Amino acid sequence: MCEEASAAPGLGTEPRDDPALHRIYMDFNATTPLEPEVISAITDALHFAWGNPSSSYLPGLKAKDIINQSRDSLAKMVGGKPVDIIFTSGGTEANNMVFHSAVEHFWKTSAVENGVRTRDLLLKEDGVLPHIITSNVEHDSVKITVEHLLKTGRADVTFLPVSRVTGRVEAEDVVAALRPTTCLVSVMLANNETGVIMPVKEISEKVRAVDRPPSSPKIFLHTDAAQAFGKICVDARDLGVDYITIVGHKFYAPRVGALFVNGPGTTTPLYPLLCGGGQERGFRPGTENTPMIAGLGKAAELVSANLAEYEAHLLDIRLYLEQRLLAVFGEEKIRFNSHFPGSDTLPNTCNVSILGQGLHGHRVLSTCKRLLASVGAACHSNRGDQPSHVLLNCGVPYHVAVNALRLSVGRRTSRGDVDAVVEDLRAAVEQLEQM
């Protein structure tokens, strides 16, 4: 659950990539460093909880206890129950589990309703396929997964465009896209490039209010909340969703993750991707990674205790960053790609283009001496100077999108850091324009 926070830890300067160069990191949407308390939790687990969590002797019991404590901490952070938390290797696995489960559940329930007819017969006789609705600005772990389902003939998929006015998936468009075979709606909670917060609660309410024939499958709702934890309140009950993807390295935890499932295997279907032992109640077999789970749990504790303080600081620094960019470059030269009328955005995310020929985002960043940032999602870094498809899908013109910089601030980013970064950008732009 989201509660009023106590005072957060100090908000000084973030760890630098190379202290000798005094680099300033502003790519927290890509990944975050580990909090000192998280490192301590991991270290303690490595030393004292090295046993197999399925064992009955002390080191194993200690490991199992740490896993249970972490499960409790994540449940509190997301507003669910401990039984609703399934640990995974990360967000990509969690997202794949959701789509796998939705498709499997569709076929299993269809087979029961249609007597002895098998999946192949249903396909041959009726051309039936499970239908999934998602957006055209999702993370690749969603986008490519559903594209694969579509390409291999395992599901029909509707990619809803976001509004070019609000940058959001509109709930009315989701409802309009529903079919008798729709079994899953998956819309991210906050976009990793624009920071736009999607109306997931409204989508859930309107989808559940639709009157569907008794023969239609139940529609499950999923949100990839990777970018939201530690920045805004994420409450499963309030959102009204069945699945929530949790990614540790976005909120100062290690690179492991979890999946919130509302009553896994009972209220909400969950089918394992892997075959193996009975860990995680058989939903995710494999000996648990106790030290990383310990770190994930500690990071969740920090979010539950300090969220209000984190959010206020991130918003203050981002607004100051935007003010300084406008003051230095002027309104004629700056375009904020993360500003959409009527839409809420993450408190830490500033997507900005410095307008002008030859000021492509990659060139500006490679010319900067201090700033460490990106032009978009880290998983797209191999796409050269091509503009982000997310920005283009949001209606940002090509010549603006190709100049985009994604600046995302962190818990200890200071106003001094902002001043240094803006000056670094000014010098880089001046150098490029002279060339």
Side-chain angles (χ1 to χ4, degrees):
M1 296 290 289
C2 304
E3 303 170 349
E4 287 299 316
S6 59
L11 297 172
T13 303
E14 291 287 352
R16 300 300 188 220
D17 180 66
D18 184 345
L21 295 175
H22 304 289
R23 290 284 197 172
I24 298 173
Y25 184 73
M26 283 195 181
D27 204 14
F28 290 89
N29 283 6
T31 198
T32 55
L34 299 183
E35 285 284 16
E37 297 95 326
V38 171
I39 295 173
S40 294
I42 293 171
T43 303
D44 287 348
L46 286 168
H47 280 299
F48 306 114
W50 49 265
N52 190 313
S54 299
S55 302
S56 58
Y57 40 74
L58 187 58
L61 294 174
K62 178 66 174 175
K64 178 60 76 175
D65 184 54
I66 286 174
I67 291 169
N68 289 336
Q69 289 177 19
S70 295
R71 202 183 307 277
D72 289 346
S73 297
L74 266 84
K76 180 180 179 183
M77 180 180 71
V78 76
K81 303 182 294 293
V83 71
D84 298 331
I85 301 298
I86 308 297
F87 291 112
T88 68
S89 63
T92 294
E93 182 186 350
N95 285 337
N96 274 263
M97 284 182 73
V98 171
F99 293 105
H100 171 70
S101 295
V103 170
E104 283 294 304
H105 185 70
F106 176 90
W107 288 120
K108 287 183 183 298
T109 54
S110 294
V112 169
E113 291 171 2
N114 289 278
V116 298
R117 290 199 293 167
T118 64
R119 177 185 315 193
D120 290 340
L121 280 174
L122 284 168
L123 278 169
K124 183 177 179 180
E125 295 177 9
D126 302 328
V128 174
L129 279 176
H131 177 236
I132 296 169
I133 297 173
T134 189
S135 84
N136 66 350
V137 296
E138 298 293 320
H139 186 269
D140 274 359
S141 60
V142 168
K143 175 179 177 287
I144 294 176
T145 300
V146 292
E147 285 177 345
H148 177 72
L149 291 173
L150 182 63
K151 181 179 179 180
T152 56
R154 296 181 60 206
D156 281 333
V157 182
T158 297
F159 292 93
L160 288 177
V162 294
S163 165
R164 297 196 166 202
V165 176
T166 65
R168 310 188 318 173
V169 179
E170 301 300 345
E172 294 80 4
D173 293 336
V174 174
V175 172
L178 293 175
R179 301 180 190 173
T181 55
T182 303
C183 62
L184 180 70
V185 174
S186 177
V187 176
M188 66 191 347
L189 186 53
N191 187 265
N192 52 310
E193 295 190 34
T194 65
V196 168
I197 298 171
M198 303 293 175
V200 172
K201 179 180 179 179
E202 182 186 357
I203 290 171
S204 298
E205 290 173 347
K206 292 194 172 182
V207 167
R208 296 201 190 282
V210 173
D211 186 21
R212 287 165 62 82
S215 59
S216 294
K218 180 178 179 180
I219 300 173
F220 295 97
L221 294 122
H222 165 242
T223 189
D224 180 347
Q227 290 295 336
F229 288 106
K231 301 168 189 171
I232 60 172
C233 178
V234 181
D235 189 309
R237 307 306 173 200
D238 183 61
L239 292 172
V241 295
D242 303 290
Y243 305 98
I244 299 178
T245 296
I246 303 168
V247 181
H249 74 100
K250 306 296 187 182
F251 60 98
Y252 294 73
R255 291 189 176 101
V256 290
L259 180 64
F260 163 86
V261 185
N262 180 25
T266 54
T267 305
T268 306
L270 187 65
Y271 295 92
L273 281 171
L274 307 173
C275 298
Q279 295 89 351
E280 293 300 286
R281 287 154 282 157
F283 295 121
R284 206 289 184 178
T287 304
E288 300 91 338
N289 191 344
T290 307
M292 298 302 104
I293 290 173
L296 186 65
K298 176 55 68 174
E301 285 181 32
L302 294 173
V303 169
S304 296
N306 302 304
L307 179 60
E309 189 75 14
Y310 293 159
E311 187 173 0
H313 173 73
L314 294 172
L315 181 59
D316 175 73
I317 296 299
R318 192 205 84 204
L319 291 176
Y320 182 69
L321 171 61
E322 293 179 352
Q323 292 167 9
R324 292 302 303 144
L325 287 167
L326 282 172
V328 169
F329 292 101
E331 292 184 3
E332 298 295 320
K333 204 172 182 63
I334 285 290
R335 158 73 185 260
F336 290 113
N337 306 313
S338 45
H339 289 184
F340 290 89
S343 292
D344 294 326
T345 58
L346 292 174
N348 80 316
T349 305
C350 171
N351 194 302
V352 62
S353 293
I354 303 173
L355 305 179
Q357 188 174 2
L359 299 181
H360 291 186
H362 285 289
R363 294 191 69 195
V364 172
L365 289 178
S366 64
T367 308
C368 285
K369 300 294 191 294
R370 303 189 66 182
L371 172 63
L372 295 173
S374 66
V375 297
C379 54
H380 298 162
S381 60
N382 63 341
R383 297 184 185 175
D385 288 332
Q386 293 300 310
S388 161
H389 77 277
V390 169
L391 296 184
L392 294 177
N393 285 338
C394 290
V396 177
Y398 185 97
H399 74 281
V400 176
V402 80
N403 284 19
L405 305 171
R406 183 185 69 176
L407 307 178
S408 48
V409 302
R411 295 175 186 175
R412 295 175 183 82
T413 308
S414 68
R415 289 192 170 208
D417 291 333
V418 169
D419 291 336
V421 160
V422 174
E423 172 56 26
D424 194 27
L425 285 168
R426 185 203 62 76
V429 168
E430 183 178 284
Q431 180 180 337
L432 290 170
E433 288 180 331
Q434 290 174 351
M435 291 170 60

